[in-house]
């Protein structure tokens, strides 16, 4: 199944700053609503149209 709004996805992630310093880590998959206000727009764009098991690195500027 492809990811398209509206749908619920389970995500895990690591969040690092520009210097590689770990800021946050979500190791247990957590459910989020795609097409709602749960995720940052840049994250939604990165997962839109992807399949289950998708892995990706997303670079977001602080203002986003």
């Amino acid at each position: 199944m492809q990811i398209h709004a509206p749908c619920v996805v389970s995500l895990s992630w690591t969040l690092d700053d520009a210097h590689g310093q770990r800021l946050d880590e979500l190791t247990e998959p957590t459910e989020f609503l795609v097409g709602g206000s749960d995720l940052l727009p840049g994250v939604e764009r990165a997962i839109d149209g992807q399949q289950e098991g998708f892995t990706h690195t997303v670079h977001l500027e602080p203002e986003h």
Side-chain angles (χ1 to χ4, degrees), residues 9-31:
V9 296
S10 293
L11 299 175
S12 57
W13 66 65
T14 57
L15 175 65
D16 299 336
D17 67 13
H19 304 287
Q21 178 74 30
R22 180 72 30 97
L23 302 175
D24 185 37
E25 186 169 16
L26 182 62
T27 57
E28 292 296 319
T30 302
E31 291 184 343

Side-chain angles (χ1 to χ4, degrees), residues 1-56:
M1 179 177 131
Q2 284 190 322
I3 299 169
H4 292 292
C7 73
V8 175
V9 296
S10 293
L11 299 175
S12 57
W13 66 65
T14 57
L15 175 65
D16 299 336
D17 67 13
H19 304 287
Q21 178 74 30
R22 180 72 30 97
L23 302 175
D24 185 37
E25 186 169 16
L26 182 62
T27 57
E28 292 296 319
T30 302
E31 291 184 343
F32 296 93
L33 175 63
V34 176
S37 59
D38 288 357
L39 297 169
L40 295 170
V43 174
E44 286 206 10
R45 283 191 298 276
I47 65 174
D48 185 51
Q50 300 301 323
Q51 299 285 340
E52 180 180 344
F54 168 69
T55 301
H56 188 65

